Amino acid sequence: MCGIVGYVGGRASIDVLMNGLKRLEYRGYDSAGVAVIAEDGTLSTRKRAGKLAVLSEDIAEQPLPDSTTGIGHTRWATHGGPTDENAHPHLSADGKLAVIHNGIIENFAAIRDELAGEGYTFASETDTEAAAILLGREYERTGDLREAFKAVVGRLDGAFTLLAVHQDEPDLVVGARQNSPLVVGLGQDENFLGSDVAAFVEYTRFALAVGEGEMVAITPEGVEVTDFAGNPVQSTPFEVQWDASAAEKGGWSSFMAKEISEEPDAVANTVRGRVADDGTVRIPELEGLDDLFRDISRVIIVACGTAAYSGMVSKYAIESWTRLPVEVALSHEFRYSDPVVDASTLVVSISQSGETMDTLMAVKYAAERGAKTLSICNTQGATIPRESDAVVYTHAGPEVAVASTKAFVAQITALYLFGLHLASVRGSLSTEKIIEETAELQAVPEKIAEVLTQHDEIAQLAHWMSDTRSVLFLGRHVGYPIALEGALKLKELAYIHAEGFAAGELKHGPIALIEPGQPVFVMVPSPRGSQTMHAKIVSNIQEIRARGARVIAIAEEGDVAVLPYADSVIRVPLASPLFEPLLTVIPTQIFAMELSEAKGLDVDQPRNLAKSVTVE
Ligand code: M6R
């Protein structure tokens, strides 16, 4: 949940650290801090509660000494509130060594007691400070940062990425990871560490993923990766596919506004290179893996939040195309529910970040029970794809806004491609049908672009409704997960009560919530897809309208049946039922973003949230 950056080389380290933290701020934004080793060989730190801007202003007013080595941290509080004291870095008792940390050290209380028994005192309530003091004690014993680090990481339980510097070894940053992300940026006479490649992509596009249970030491001259016992580990560098400008706002009012505008590209780029000349699906990453998918008898999708809703949408398509049963489980519920998982189960994880701890743990749980694992992921070098048998990357580009938008449509796209691939491998769909569905997917970007042209009307609606305290969302079939996703966006961004329901469930309880003026978004399925479903939703609309609801219908062009009952209609282009969610979700995203702006809230960094949830 925290963002971590480290640098050693020839540049002013404070610039590299602050730029890196700016790009990682989506990971946590309740406090931030840096530690640099000055040219005179002393360690200087600065840390402040609040967003990165607070630290930035502080450093501008009172600059830190010149330095070319340092570490930086942006925090999402777990142990101890967001105060100056609890912000990272934390120092050893002699103040010569600084540590930053992402994750939770589960046995910190025991370590703290041990150190307190030896007379050490603590300035914060954090688990991290226990590691910093312990590391300082080990440094006194060994006089060597690598050795001291090795002694400490082996003692820590839980999930952590830890970086440290010591003023007596000014050209060295050490790091370690266990169930928490860490990537190395490879430069010329300089090297970088980051929670993800965004931390350093403005300086280098060559990266190395540090594996589970590995340590790394970077100097200007090189990078050494070892396991926790100190044995060398071979890692293969990779090239980052996007450049720094992709992670910048580029004139948009928010990252979210920019990311919504990029949704046609997110879909197009995810499809690109995965359609053969004959119009069938060809996923290069899955070549040679047919056996993996031929013998399965069921699919379980594991994911959290928006990613789980993309799984719920895709379940309908995968089941329809492959006739395999597909179950969608929230990752954090999955492994505690004693699920039926065996070698004939394919567990598909979905994660934008590829670092969500709950999802990672679900994948590991499934793999330990012999299941096959496939990752749908947007972040190269992330942990979940590394832990999976196969990966299909979404090519949405970096998603910086905490609320997920373009990753959602890219996830559905990747899952649909996978569903068609699976249908082809298993022979459950004719080639003609596969070509037809693939063509429909290829047409989606243009249709999303059409929906985006209604941005101003949707914004106006949101601004009119800026005092609204509760919004309901209804949908059937693939419209149901969109109702859930629309409600989630509104909760996250506008901090108002919002709930999504399966429209058929209305009469079983939720209709009691309807009172005059209650806004209800309704995902109206195409009458061309199913007359019955369409008719049923129109009667649901009548039922709530009769009780005074204010109905906002999201319906396809030309559907006039909703007109007499809806207060507002947002149009989406014609698409066959399985593809409608890729269009109907867009107005809900724009609405939530605009309502948040109308309320003067922070669209990109909603309160209490972090982009990737790397603690359980
Ligand atoms: O990185 P992931 O896709 O694994 O993240 C999963 C959820 O934490 C994420 O989708 C979350 O629900 C977003 N804030 C939704 O906007």
Side-chain angles (χ1 to χ4, degrees):
M1 307 283 277
C2 304
I4 275 185
V5 55
Y7 177 72
V8 59
R11 301 176 201 258
S13 64
I14 192 65
D15 295 344
V16 179
L17 299 178
M18 292 305 284
N19 286 342
L21 290 181
K22 203 165 126 214
R23 292 184 191 285
L24 293 181
E25 202 186 6
Y26 69 85
R27 298 180 67 89
Y29 34 84
D30 58 35
S31 50
V34 290
V36 296
I37 301 178
E39 280 164 3
D40 68 0
T42 54
L43 183 75
S44 294
T45 59
R46 190 71 54 78
K47 50 190 197 170
R48 287 286 173 267
K51 293 201 171 173
L52 188 60
V54 179
L55 177 69
S56 213
E57 277 164 27
D58 193 293
I59 293 173
E61 273 169 25
Q62 216 187 330
L64 285 160
D66 290 346
S67 147
T68 55
T69 302
I71 53 179
H73 188 266
T74 177
R75 179 169 187 247
W76 186 85
T78 54
H79 291 73
T83 61
D84 286 355
E85 293 73 29
N86 290 336
H88 300 207
H90 290 283
L91 300 180
S92 57
D94 61 7
K96 292 181 178 176
L97 176 150
V99 167
I100 55 176
H101 164 225
N102 171 31
I104 294 176
I105 299 169
E106 285 167 3
N107 58 338
F108 88 99
I111 295 172
R112 211 175 148 111
D113 287 350
E114 173 187 324
L115 293 165
E118 293 171 23
Y120 288 98
T121 56
F122 298 86
S124 78
E125 304 152 86
T126 64
D127 49 346
T128 310
E129 195 182 10
I133 303 236
L134 183 64
L135 189 55
R137 188 187 77 180
E138 290 305 309
Y139 192 90
E140 276 170 31
R141 188 176 62 78
T142 59
D144 182 308
L145 185 55
R146 289 176 175 88
E147 283 304 312
F149 206 61
K150 194 166 83 182
V152 167
V153 294
R155 284 200 54 189
L156 306 180
D157 294 338
F160 55 84
T161 301
L162 219 56
L163 297 195
V165 288
H166 193 288
Q167 66 176 33
D168 293 345
E169 297 185 60
D171 289 331
L172 174 67
V173 182
V174 289
R177 66 161 289 188
Q178 178 165 294
N179 289 331
S180 191
L182 182 60
V183 194
V184 184
L186 303 167
Q188 190 70 42
D189 301 323
E190 61 181 352
N191 286 299
F192 307 79
L193 291 169
S195 299
D196 69 43
V197 296
F200 49 71
V201 73
E202 112 178 63
Y203 305 104
T204 177
R205 287 172 67 173
F206 293 96
L208 198 75
V210 179
E212 206 45 49
E214 290 175 5
M215 298 193 301
V216 60
I218 61 165
T219 62
E221 295 79 33
V223 174
E224 288 163 32
V225 184
T226 64
D227 61 20
F228 280 4
N231 303 307
V233 170
Q234 281 306 321
S235 312
T236 316
F238 63 90
E239 192 178 347
V240 182
Q241 299 295 319
W242 41 269
D243 62 24
S245 64
E248 275 160 16
K249 249 192 259 181
W252 291 88
S253 59
S254 62
F255 276 107
M256 187 170 170
K258 173 178 177 252
E259 287 159 11
I260 289 175
S261 81
E262 290 169 344
E263 290 188 84
D265 290 340
V267 174
N269 292 339
T270 300
V271 174
R272 184 164 298 121
R274 288 162 170 172
V275 179
D277 291 344
D278 65 0
T280 57
V281 169
R282 204 188 117 262
I283 304 179
E285 299 98 305
L286 301 184
E287 257 162 39
L289 296 177
D290 287 3
D291 286 348
L292 195 76
F293 304 122
R294 204 170 276 128
D295 301 332
I296 57 171
S297 62
R298 57 200 284 261
V299 177
I300 303 179
I301 293 177
V302 290
C304 300
T306 291
Y309 297 143
S310 80
M312 282 176 73
V313 169
S314 307
K315 165 190 160 80
Y316 296 92
I318 301 175
E319 282 189 338
S320 161
W321 294 334
T322 66
R323 304 316 299 159
L324 281 168
V326 179
E327 189 187 317
V328 183
L330 293 170
S331 311
H332 38 88
E333 290 291 320
F334 173 69
R335 70 190 175 116
Y336 300 108
S337 62
D338 193 13
V340 181
V341 177
D342 57 23
S344 71
T345 313
L346 174 68
V347 170
V348 179
S349 64
I350 312 169
S351 176
Q352 187 285 130
S353 62
E355 301 293 350
T356 298
M357 182 59 73
D358 292 313
T359 304
L360 174 62
M361 290 303 165
V363 171
K364 286 188 173 180
Y365 178 96
E368 279 159 17
R369 278 149 191 82
K372 281 118 186 171
T373 55
L374 169 75
S375 153
I376 304 292
C377 183
N378 196 43
T379 312
Q380 280 177 284
T383 311
I384 296 172
R386 286 163 59 88
E387 292 285 327
S388 304
D389 295 322
V391 55
V392 176
Y393 280 107
T394 49
H395 295 302
E399 192 179 63
V400 178
V402 165
S404 190
T405 54
K406 63 176 180 172
F408 178 75
V409 291
Q411 284 159 350
I412 296 173
T413 304
L415 285 155
Y416 278 20
L417 287 167
F418 173 66
L420 292 169
H421 173 83
L422 200 55
S424 157
V425 170
R426 299 173 63 86
S428 54
L429 221 52
S430 70
T431 305
E432 292 69 39
K433 186 70 181 157
I434 290 176
I435 292 171
E436 194 185 303
E437 301 288 21
T438 309
E440 176 112 30
L441 194 54
Q442 286 177 300
V444 166
E446 214 172 298
K447 295 181 186 181
I448 295 181
E450 257 186 72
V451 181
L452 290 175
T453 62
Q454 293 170 85
H455 190 126
D456 290 351
E457 289 88 323
I458 301 167
Q460 200 171 50
L461 192 66
H463 285 252
W464 285 336
M465 289 169 61
S466 59
D467 290 336
T468 301
R469 297 168 65 95
S470 158
V471 180
L472 305 180
F473 292 78
L474 297 182
R476 279 176 183 266
H477 188 248
V478 285
Y480 170 44
I482 298 302
L484 297 173
E485 169 62 7
L488 175 61
K489 284 288 95 81
L490 211 48
K491 285 178 227 180
E492 284 187 292
L493 292 167
Y495 315 155
I496 59 176
H497 168 253
E499 266 189 88
F501 298 108
E505 197 62 13
L506 204 59
K507 291 196 272 290
H508 300 281
I511 200 163
L513 291 170
I514 306 292
E515 54 187 15
Q518 169 67 55
V520 185
F521 275 76
V522 186
M523 313 300 142
V524 183
S526 163
R528 295 166 306 109
S530 161
Q531 286 278 3
T532 321
M533 254 203 316
H534 179 263
K536 284 197 190 308
I537 215 119
V538 172
S539 61
N540 290 142
I541 292 177
Q542 287 170 288
E543 285 154 12
I544 55 170
R545 188 65 194 281
R547 286 157 180 86
R550 174 177 185 172
V551 176
I552 303 120
I554 303 182
E556 75 171 20
E557 282 156 9
D559 180 354
V560 290
V562 293
L563 289 178
Y565 318 109
D567 296 273
S568 316
V569 182
I570 301 167
R571 293 294 183 187
V572 295
L574 307 194
S576 59
L578 291 173
F579 294 86
E580 281 169 4
L582 288 160
L583 309 178
T584 52
V585 73
I586 312 289
T588 68
Q589 297 169 341
I590 297 173
F591 180 78
M593 175 181 75
E594 291 294 340
L595 195 59
S596 167
E597 274 186 6
K599 291 179 75 173
L601 302 174
D602 189 332
V603 170
D604 287 333
Q605 297 179 339
R607 69 183 179 201
N608 304 339
L609 297 175
K611 180 83 180 151
S612 56
V613 182
T614 55
V615 291
E616 276 185 282

